Every structure is written in structure tokens, then in C-alpha cells.
Amino acid sequence: MNPADAPSPHMDPDTFRTLGHQAVDWIADYWQHLADHPVAPPVEPGSIRAQLPSAPPEHGEDFPALLADLERIVLPGLLHWQHPRFFGYFPANASGPAVLAELLSAGLGVQGMNWSTSPACTEVEQQMLDWFVQLLGLPAHFRGTGVIQDTASSALLVALLTALHRASGGRTRDHGTDGHRYRVYLTRETHSAAAKAAVITGLGLRALHEVATDADGAMDAADLETRIRADRAAGATPLMVVATRGTTSRLSFDALDAIGPVCRRHGVWLHVDAAYAGVAAICDELRWVGDGVHHADSYCTNPHKWLLTNFDCDLLWVTAPEALVGALSVLPEYLRNPASASGRVTDYRHWQVPLGRRFRALKLWSVVRWYGAEGLRAHIRTGVRHARLFAGLLRTDPRFTLLAPPVLGLVTFRLNASDAANRGLLDTVNTEGTTFLTHSEKNGTYFLRFATGGTFTEDRHVHEAWRALRKAASAGDEGEQGAAMTSR
């Protein structure tokens, strides 16, 4: 057969239309029946891979066969992050308008690396970042300085590269750190992304200096000042302070109004990570999460956590975009074009580590238009209310202790027993499958975290999770009593 006469292997539009309906139906059914699944998968390592063929297919298969295997092999092996009783880590929201827009973005398949490679991709993104300056009550000087990154980890890395460029007067582009000693300041509560960024940039972990914290886990500005002065006296360059508004472990909030002036006095870049908490500022009564953000040189928050926009979508503002572009701009001949040369456009490839860019702004636009500011506020307020509901239930059982009043959508607590008993409680709850929690520690003490904010979570799911927790605690009590009787 002449190769030109062979049937096309590609999916034609009519077939795509039919199978696309099936895929959307599958997702809708999945969401509708999520509560029927155990939250965490009862599987052993390697058990999923063992069900997959050892070699790829030689001939193409129908798409329904993939859906069948998705149901049979993949679904039982997932931790269901959209489950209404998923209360671990922080939420990773998905929603109908976000998923549909993600499909549209994938179908368009545009590359947004330069303005010229898809002007609408760039300009919609610019408008979305400016919209969020308004929605979150951010300082007016943030307008025109925003970009979408994949995650807050990438945002921190980009900010660190920008800070290096500014502090070195551009020297690091050609010479790297060249043996120069830079210092990055953080606390034990700071996200591990800071350590990874130090490794990637070549600063190394020894560049990280841990600043003391107060009883609430917030950075001590006086200790920061002392450490900066000592490092400068020793010949090192204080480079960046990584402050957090809402730490991962227990939602500590670094006081930017105290930290910011220290950074300004010493010419140190202030990066503020508000990955989870920042979006809560969309509610007037929660606007405090952004207190002091006007001091920030860079600031990020994640709609993909608590604002109904599926992963990945981080909003980063860098108030010195010329330093950002200076740090990351590389211009091979094949990317030169009249629009870029005119200076009238933004080429977002200079604002990130990779070259290629997806049309992430489309799903953000879809979410904001579907829910409106009013609907987004309602979602945040529901998460806050669920945290308070759970904390209220905890207070009714003397076997449990709240470590602190609920903060936004996070409740931290522990069983009034040993760390081993608390670990056993968490394992029992998560294995039983009714709900899913995670843990952390404070000053060496193990505790449990209950994080609300799921798209599909209702009051009844909070009550169901509480019943599962009490049941597991009661089983633990019986086990301890039995062990005590045996030892006698």
C-alpha cells in the first residue's frame, strides 16, 4: 500500500467529539460517586505497575479500553484529593469550570513563551494577575508585575535568581556566585522549597541561616537583624529573607511590618510565600493575611490550593521585573521577532525557568467568571466554617486537645496520649478509608492536621470524619486496656 493511501492514525473531529463526551461523563460520574470510594488506596508498592503490560502495544487501541483500565487499575490506586473527606495536607481544588478550561487549553495547544507566539495567551494572563491585585487587596504597585508559575516552589526559585542578579549587579549571569558568600534567611517553619532553591542556584544549603521564631512559630525580626549584621561583618552578603504568611505545618504568620524594615535597611530581598493562605484575602474579613505585603519584593499565592483552580497555577508578583528579566533572559536568534524588539510587549519566557508556557490563565479566567468574586468568597468562608465546626466537635471529647484555635481552614490537635498513640490513630483513620488526615510536629511533639476547603465537602462530611476519628480513638483505648490486662 502506498503510505499516502494508508488510513490516518489520528483521531478525527467526530470521533473526538463522541469520545470527549464519554471522558467528561466519566469525570462527572467520578465526582458524583467520590464519597463511595475509600479516600486512601489500600495498595502495596508495585501493585499498580504489576497490572500494566510489560511492553507497549504495537497496534492502537480504542479509547474506551483506556477508560476501562482507568477504572480497573488506576482508580483503586489513587489518593483521592477531591474526595469530600480528604482533610490532609492543604486542599488541591478542582472544579467544573477549571477542568473545562483546562480541556480548552489543551485543545488549543498554544505555546505562550513569547507574546508573538500567542498574543492572547500573554495578555489574558496579564489581565488575570491584575484582576487578582484587586481581588486580594494587594498594593497598587503590584499591577503589571505578575506572572503565573506552576507552583510556589518555582516562584521562590525565580525570586531567588532575581535577588542574586540584583545583589551581584548582574555578575552572576556570567560568573555564577564565583566563590562569593550569600546568605538566605528563613525559619524552621519555612517550606522546604527554599532549601531546594538554594541547592539549584548553587548557593548550597550552607547559605541558609535559620532565624529564631516566637512561640507561634513566626520569624523573630530582632534575631533577623542580628544575623544580618553578623553576616555582613563576616564578609558575606545578606541576599534574601523568605517570609511566610501561613506556614505549611501549623499556619504561622511572619510579621512583615517588622521584617520588611529590616530588609530595607540592609538591602535584602524580601520574598513572601503565601501559597495556601494568600487567596483567603479575597474575603474582607480575612484581608489580614496580606498584612505588610507592601514590603515584599516578590509575593506568591496558589489558586490551585484553595481557590477552585486545578493544579497547577501559582500567582507570582515581582516588583522589580527588570531584574527578573535581566536574570533569566536568553535570546537565541530563532526567538527574535519584531514585537519583542519593539519593547511594547511582555515575553513571559523571561519570567520563568522553562522556555515553554501553557495557557494556564484560561482556567483562572474561567473560574473567576463562573464563580465571580462572590462565589469565590463563599467557598473560602465555607472552608473556614468547616474548620470551626471540626474544632467545636473536638472540644466535646476530653480525649483530644486543640493545639491552637482553628486558623483559616486548618485545625491542629492531638490525642491526649503518647506520640506513638497519635501515630497509631492517624494510621488507623487513614487505613480505614473513611477520611484522610496528615501530621506534623511542634517542638518535637507529634500532632495531627485537619485541613478543610475541598470543593465537594459539606457539613456532613466533617461529621463523618469526626465519627471515624472517635471510633479509631475508642479502638485504641480498648487496645491499650487489653495490653494493660495482659501485662498483669
Side-chain angles (χ1 to χ4, degrees), residues 247-267:
T247 58
T248 301
S249 181
R250 51 190 173 122
L251 282 188
S252 301
F253 289 82
D254 293 333
L256 303 184
D257 283 329
I259 296 167
V262 176
C263 294
R264 286 291 170 265
R265 279 195 295 274
H266 296 282

Side-chain angles (χ1 to χ4, degrees), residues 101-273:
E102 190 81 273
L103 174 62
L104 293 172
S105 175
L108 292 171
V110 302
Q111 259 286 1
M113 54 193 176
N114 280 339
W115 178 88
S116 63
T117 59
S118 277
C121 183
T122 296
E123 296 193 15
V124 171
E125 182 165 340
Q126 290 174 308
Q127 191 71 356
M128 291 306 99
L129 271 295
D130 281 358
W131 275 10
F132 270 87
V133 170
Q134 299 177 55
L135 287 169
L136 303 180
L138 298 176
H141 68 264
F142 276 33
R143 290 179 180 272
T145 71
V147 59
I148 297 179
Q149 303 286 339
D150 52 7
T151 63
S153 298
S154 291
L156 199 158
L157 174 60
V158 165
L160 184 55
L161 289 166
T162 307
L164 267 171
H165 184 77
R166 187 180 74 171
S168 70
R171 182 176 175 80
T172 52
R173 276 185 63 93
D174 296 324
H175 302 284
T177 57
D178 199 21
H180 196 89
R181 290 183 297 143
Y182 292 98
R183 294 290 179 260
V184 176
Y185 304 90
L186 38 66
T187 74
R188 67 178 58 188
E189 299 281 346
T190 304
H191 195 279
S192 60
K196 183 172 284 189
V199 172
I200 294 171
T201 56
L203 295 177
L205 295 178
R206 300 180 80 174
L208 304 178
H209 278 200
E210 186 176 299
V211 180
T213 57
D214 63 18
D216 295 324
M219 183 180 289
D220 184 325
D223 187 57
L224 173 64
E225 174 98 40
T226 299
R227 291 177 181 277
I228 288 175
R229 289 184 183 277
D231 284 335
R232 196 177 295 283
T237 299
L239 176 64
M240 173 186 274
V241 171
V242 182
T244 311
R245 296 294 289 174
T247 58
T248 301
S249 181
R250 51 190 173 122
L251 282 188
S252 301
F253 289 82
D254 293 333
L256 303 184
D257 283 329
I259 296 167
V262 176
C263 294
R264 286 291 170 265
R265 279 195 295 274
H266 296 282
V268 178
W269 187 283
L270 176 57
H271 176 71
V272 179
D273 180 350

